[in-house]
């Protein structure tokens, strides 16, 4: 299955997908394009090092959402995207892209949604808010997107404990290592193997056992 991965930053989630394709866990997945929200991210370097085609599409280069939306739609169509993965992507997608790829766009969020999501809740801001709130658990969520920030049917969640001596940086590192990195390839594998159904705002996962070598 052809996937397009959207990135905005360091690209550890992108690298993780590249590695899991290489080691055979995502044997039937091919990243056909990486779309970065600005020039010069380390995610772009990672993509280029892996020989993947990269496009830069910045929301700020467009005067309105319509032009941005149309450009991304064309790019996705021409790339042959069958699934879109937002792997640390910080812009809101336009309504035409969301509609055309409904239930085919996954997002990874560094908290247990619906807590600590929404506009402005990205990167370290999420972990600062988690520490400020005093919750004992945070984690990672993979969900299908809709028109709103960090909304849409939840596919997988992985809890991660908050430690008393955590800083936003230490918590972010643990959520990425223990939450996001195991979760995102698992979510992509479930979807690309046709094991996910969406009913209303819920996902149903076909628990059918897989062959151990598959
Ligand atoms: C990840 O922690 C991801 O969950 C977060 O940005 C980081 C990107 O890291 N995404 C959001 O906050 C989206 N709301 P990466 O570039 O190293 O994969």
């Amino acid at each position: 299955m052809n996937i397009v991965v959207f990135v905005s930053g360091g690209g550890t989630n992108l690298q993780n997908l590249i590695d899991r394709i290489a080691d055979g866990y995502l044997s039937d997945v091919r990243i056909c394009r990486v779309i970065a929200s600005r020039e010069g991210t380390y995610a772009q370097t990672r993509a280029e090092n892996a020989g993947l085609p990269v496009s830069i599409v910045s929301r700020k280069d467009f005067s309105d959402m319509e032009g941005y939306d149309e450009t991304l739609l064309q790019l996705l169509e021409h790339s042959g995207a069958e699934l879109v993965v937002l792997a640390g992507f910080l812009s809101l997608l336009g309504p035409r892209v969301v509609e055309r790829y409904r239930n085919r766009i996954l997002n990874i969020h560094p908290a247990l949604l619906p807590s600590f999501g929404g506009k402005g809740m990205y990167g370290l801001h999420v972990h600062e808010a988690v520490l400020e709130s005093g919750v004992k658990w945070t984690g990672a969520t993979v969900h299908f997107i809709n028109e709103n920030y960090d909304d849409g049917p939840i596919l997988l969640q992985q809890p991660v404990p908050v430690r008393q001596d955590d800083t936003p940086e230490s918590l972010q590192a643990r959520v990425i290592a223990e939450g996001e990195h195991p979760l995102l390839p698992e979510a992509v594998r479930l979807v690309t193997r046709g094991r996910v159904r969406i009913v209303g705002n819920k996902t149903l996962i076909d628990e059918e056992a897989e062959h151990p070598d598959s």
Side-chain angles (χ1 to χ4, degrees), residues 60-79:
K60 66 176 172 42
D61 292 342
F62 296 85
S63 57
D64 54 21
M65 176 55 100
E66 285 69 28
Y68 176 67
D69 200 14
E70 178 61 27
T71 299
L72 283 180
L73 192 58
Q74 294 291 331
L75 198 50
L76 288 171
E77 300 280 295
H78 288 138
S79 303

Side-chain angles (χ1 to χ4, degrees), residues 155-174:
L155 178 53
L156 293 174
Q157 292 189 298
Q158 177 62 50
V160 173
V162 178
R163 293 190 190 145
Q164 285 186 192
D165 58 353
D166 262 326
T167 61
E169 290 79 9
S170 69
L171 189 56
Q172 179 180 50
R174 219 165 52 258

Side-chain angles (χ1 to χ4, degrees), residues 4-178:
V4 169
V5 182
F6 281 63
V7 293
S8 292
T12 65
N13 279 291
L14 168 65
Q15 187 66 54
N16 187 37
L17 290 174
I18 293 169
D19 294 345
R20 299 313 311 264
I21 291 169
D23 73 16
Y25 180 74
L26 295 173
S27 54
D28 38 13
V29 174
R30 173 178 165 263
I31 299 175
C32 57
R33 182 161 296 275
V34 172
I35 299 178
S37 59
R38 59 191 167 90
E39 198 73 54
T41 61
Y42 196 61
Q44 179 180 353
T45 305
R46 292 180 192 272
E48 286 166 356
N49 287 344
L52 300 174
V54 181
S55 302
I56 312 291
V57 184
S58 286
R59 174 66 183 86
K60 66 176 172 42
D61 292 342
F62 296 85
S63 57
D64 54 21
M65 176 55 100
E66 285 69 28
Y68 176 67
D69 200 14
E70 178 61 27
T71 299
L72 283 180
L73 192 58
Q74 294 291 331
L75 198 50
L76 288 171
E77 300 280 295
H78 288 138
S79 303
E82 294 168 278
L83 177 70
V84 174
V85 178
L86 308 184
F89 183 68
L90 304 182
S91 301
L92 193 65
L93 293 177
R96 293 187 63 207
V97 167
V98 174
E99 184 55 38
R100 183 76 61 89
Y101 290 89
R102 178 134 353 243
N103 298 341
R104 289 187 289 152
I105 306 180
L106 290 174
N107 179 47
I108 181 119
H109 184 76
L112 295 175
L113 292 175
S115 296
F116 305 107
K119 192 166 165 55
M121 278 291 178
Y122 61 88
L124 274 181
H125 300 302
V126 177
H127 306 293
E128 285 163 0
V130 164
L131 291 177
E132 184 67 26
S133 76
V135 295
K136 302 292 188 189
W137 288 89
T138 183
T141 300
V142 178
H143 66 101
F144 292 95
I145 73 154
N146 61 21
E147 287 78 1
N148 307 313
Y149 278 105
D150 301 325
D151 201 16
I154 290 172
L155 178 53
L156 293 174
Q157 292 189 298
Q158 177 62 50
V160 173
V162 178
R163 293 190 190 145
Q164 285 186 192
D165 58 353
D166 262 326
T167 61
E169 290 79 9
S170 69
L171 189 56
Q172 179 180 50
R174 219 165 52 258
V175 166
I176 287 179
E178 296 176 15

Side-chain angles (χ1 to χ4, degrees), residues 102-104 144 153 196-204:
R102 178 134 353 243
N103 298 341
R104 289 187 289 152
F144 292 95
V196 179
R197 269 187 304 139
I198 299 171
V199 181
N201 200 42
K202 292 184 185 170
T203 61
L204 299 177

